[in-house]
Amino acid sequence: MAGKFITFEGGEGVGKSTQVKLLAEKLRELGYGVFVTREPGGAELGEKIRDLLKKTTHMDSLCELLLIFAARRDHFIKLIVPHLENNEIVICDRFYDSSLVYQGILKNVPIERIMELKQMVLGYFEPDLTLVLDMDVAKSKQRLAKRCLIADEYDSMDAEKHELVRQGFKKISEIFSFRAELVNANGSEQKVFSKIFEIIEKRILKDSA
């Protein structure tokens, strides 16, 4: 696969979707082929599973994990791989790191079980770069409160669980430091994007120059 795969991770309300959009726009301006996607979702099956997960309350954590990985497999083979083989930069809002944090750390599914599923579904495939957006919980919850959307299970978590998720993603950035960068997302959108693009230039664009 000749393209580059960039993932964005972090807790709820940290600005992932905004930064994904800004990065895609910038890379297209520079002439790169870019494909933007998300998890769970992306391909048709994944979007149906995403809708099911959003509408179902009190789902067993293992059931949730299995559904997410089913969506991930479909997404991987139908969208991610073909676009990478087309030499595009694929930007994904969440990937398997989110399973490690939300179903693993937050919902106590053993991490080794999640990694077994990861191996079955993705093999040795890893993102070329993972940008972990980190924000103070009070600020991220304030952002969530301003959204004109119906809050799902994760949006409506209490501060303690939000902090658990935040620390989980910080741990991800340490464990997978060979591909992950922790980005302070407390500043303005443009300030955060400037930090992100510096990383992109250093770790992604230099290889395609």
Side-chain angles (χ1 to χ4, degrees), residues 9 18 28 47 69-70 77 79 83 91 96 111-112 125 135 143 146 152 165 169 178-179 184-185 190 201 206:
E9 297 284 2
T18 297
R28 286 172 181 143
E47 290 297 329
F69 266 96
I77 61 177
L79 289 180
H83 283 280
I91 305 173
Y96 85 86
I111 296 297
E112 58 269 25
F125 180 81
M135 180 181 286
R143 282 189 175 187
K146 292 179 180 179
D152 64 16
V165 166
F169 278 115
F178 66 94
R179 62 166 169 86
N184 185 334
Q190 285 302 323
E201 287 184 308
K206 69 176 180 61

XYZ file of all heavy atoms in Angstrom, residues 9 18 28 47 69-70 77 79 83 91 96 111-112 125 135 143 146 152 165 169 178-179 184-185 190 201 206:
242
model
N -7.394 10.540 17.250
C -7.976 9.923 18.440
C -8.111 10.956 19.553
O -7.527 12.042 19.495
C -7.102 8.761 18.921
C -6.961 7.598 17.949
C -8.192 6.713 17.884
O -9.206 7.010 18.563
O -8.154 5.706 17.141
N -13.229 18.679 13.546
C -12.779 19.968 13.012
C -11.365 19.866 12.456
O -11.076 20.356 11.358
C -12.815 21.039 14.116
O -14.165 21.216 14.547
C -12.257 22.362 13.626
N -5.357 18.905 0.356
C -5.900 19.026 -1.005
C -5.380 20.286 -1.688
O -5.089 20.273 -2.882
C -7.425 19.010 -0.957
C -7.993 17.622 -0.685
C -9.478 17.642 -0.444
N -10.000 16.304 -0.160
C -10.965 16.030 0.709
N -11.528 17.028 1.397
N -11.359 14.787 0.894
N -21.759 1.985 8.639
C -22.718 3.040 8.966
C -23.979 2.456 9.615
O -24.557 3.058 10.516
C -23.078 3.840 7.713
C -21.949 4.725 7.188
C -21.538 5.816 8.171
O -22.397 6.292 8.950
O -20.352 6.189 8.174
N -15.734 -4.205 15.643
C -14.704 -4.847 14.834
C -15.259 -5.423 13.538
O -14.544 -5.498 12.531
C -13.946 -5.898 15.642
C -12.691 -5.348 16.281
C -12.707 -4.902 17.585
C -11.516 -5.255 15.555
C -11.564 -4.374 18.169
C -10.359 -4.729 16.131
C -10.386 -4.286 17.438
N -16.526 -5.822 13.533
C -17.157 -6.244 12.276
C -17.220 -5.055 11.317
O -16.888 -5.173 10.127
C -18.556 -6.793 12.542
N -11.354 -3.348 4.434
C -11.165 -3.999 3.135
C -11.854 -3.251 1.989
O -11.408 -3.316 0.845
C -11.611 -5.476 3.163
C -13.099 -5.606 3.495
C -10.754 -6.266 4.147
C -13.607 -7.049 3.461
N -12.738 0.233 1.954
C -12.404 1.644 1.760
C -10.942 1.972 2.047
O -10.264 2.578 1.211
C -13.302 2.524 2.643
C -14.777 2.620 2.235
C -15.524 3.517 3.214
C -14.923 3.160 0.820
N -8.125 2.857 -1.086
C -7.661 4.240 -1.212
C -6.161 4.357 -0.953
O -5.483 5.177 -1.588
C -8.456 5.150 -0.275
C -9.820 5.483 -0.789
N -10.037 6.450 -1.740
C -11.044 4.942 -0.514
C -11.329 6.516 -2.021
N -11.962 5.612 -1.294
N -7.453 9.824 5.905
C -7.581 10.412 7.243
C -8.820 9.821 7.896
O -9.926 9.924 7.358
C -7.716 11.943 7.177
C -6.552 12.556 6.394
C -7.781 12.527 8.591
C -6.704 14.048 6.146
N -8.604 1.661 15.740
C -8.687 0.639 16.784
C -8.202 1.110 18.156
O -8.555 0.511 19.187
C -7.994 -0.654 16.352
C -6.500 -0.747 16.575
C -5.975 -1.173 17.802
C -5.601 -0.452 15.551
C -4.608 -1.285 17.995
C -4.241 -0.563 15.735
C -3.745 -0.984 16.959
O -2.395 -1.095 17.152
N -7.593 -6.263 27.472
C -6.848 -5.698 26.354
C -6.329 -6.790 25.427
O -6.316 -6.632 24.196
C -5.675 -4.824 26.861
C -6.202 -3.612 27.650
C -4.795 -4.370 25.696
C -7.049 -2.655 26.840
N -5.926 -7.932 26.000
C -5.405 -9.002 25.148
C -6.474 -9.550 24.204
O -6.179 -9.950 23.079
C -4.805 -10.135 25.984
C -5.741 -10.794 26.976
C -5.693 -10.138 28.355
O -5.330 -8.952 28.436
O -6.012 -10.843 29.324
N -1.335 -4.476 10.294
C -1.562 -3.119 9.798
C -1.638 -2.123 10.945
O -2.312 -2.351 11.947
C -2.857 -3.072 8.992
C -3.188 -1.715 8.432
C -2.589 -1.268 7.262
C -4.091 -0.874 9.070
C -2.872 -0.012 6.739
C -4.393 0.379 8.553
C -3.786 0.807 7.387
N -7.320 17.333 25.760
C -7.957 18.564 26.227
C -8.425 18.390 27.669
O -8.830 17.294 28.072
C -9.166 18.903 25.334
C -9.912 20.173 25.715
S -11.328 20.461 24.617
C -10.464 20.988 23.129
N -17.704 22.096 25.641
C -17.941 22.008 24.196
C -19.108 21.079 23.885
O -19.943 21.374 23.035
C -16.687 21.503 23.482
C -15.607 22.538 23.292
C -14.546 21.973 22.389
N -13.521 22.940 22.051
C -12.560 22.710 21.161
N -12.514 21.554 20.525
N -11.663 23.620 20.899
N -22.534 22.491 24.278
C -22.960 23.468 23.267
C -23.458 22.808 21.985
O -24.026 23.471 21.127
C -21.796 24.406 22.935
C -21.420 25.331 24.085
C -20.244 26.217 23.685
C -19.849 27.146 24.831
N -18.686 27.992 24.471
N -25.109 10.825 23.180
C -25.112 9.372 23.301
C -24.463 8.990 24.625
O -24.147 9.842 25.463
C -24.429 8.716 22.104
C -22.946 9.071 21.993
O -22.361 9.569 22.985
O -22.367 8.851 20.919
N -11.057 8.234 30.197
C -10.845 8.149 28.751
C -9.640 9.002 28.339
O -8.785 8.566 27.563
C -12.116 8.595 27.991
C -11.817 8.835 26.515
C -13.219 7.553 28.150
N -6.172 7.611 26.477
C -5.592 8.038 25.209
C -4.167 8.550 25.393
O -3.305 8.352 24.517
C -6.467 9.094 24.539
C -7.620 8.504 23.776
C -8.923 8.741 24.178
C -7.396 7.698 22.675
C -9.988 8.183 23.491
C -8.452 7.141 21.974
C -9.756 7.386 22.385
N 5.906 5.086 18.540
C 6.516 4.964 17.209
C 5.598 5.525 16.117
O 6.075 5.871 15.031
C 6.857 3.497 16.900
C 5.662 2.590 16.765
C 5.110 2.337 15.515
C 5.104 1.996 17.883
C 4.008 1.491 15.381
C 4.003 1.151 17.763
C 3.449 0.902 16.519
N 4.280 5.635 16.417
C 3.360 6.168 15.411
C 2.436 7.256 15.954
O 1.723 7.889 15.187
C 2.484 5.048 14.828
C 1.578 4.357 15.852
C 0.507 3.527 15.152
N -0.224 2.652 16.060
C -1.279 3.002 16.756
N -1.730 4.258 16.680
N -1.895 2.136 17.545
N -1.658 18.957 22.324
C -2.431 19.779 23.247
C -3.516 20.496 22.454
O -3.230 21.348 21.620
C -1.515 20.781 23.945
C -2.229 21.598 25.006
O -3.441 21.805 24.955
N -1.482 22.070 26.000
N -4.790 20.150 22.728
C -5.912 20.687 21.952
C -6.671 21.780 22.692
O -7.803 22.118 22.328
C -6.867 19.552 21.576
N -7.140 27.117 15.068
C -5.993 27.362 14.200
C -4.664 27.091 14.905
O -3.713 26.600 14.282
C -6.036 28.793 13.665
C -7.066 29.020 12.576
C -6.862 28.114 11.369
O -5.733 27.825 10.970
N -7.957 27.648 10.775
N 4.022 17.599 8.440
C 5.171 17.909 7.581
C 6.382 17.065 7.935
O 7.125 16.591 7.052
C 5.514 19.393 7.707
C 4.513 20.325 7.025
C 4.932 21.766 7.095
O 5.227 22.253 8.215
O 4.948 22.422 6.042
N 7.323 14.622 4.414
C 8.752 14.484 4.072
C 9.011 13.199 3.283
O 9.913 13.130 2.449
C 9.609 14.488 5.344
C 9.471 13.267 6.229
C 10.417 13.300 7.402
C 10.275 12.062 8.284
N 10.569 10.796 7.558
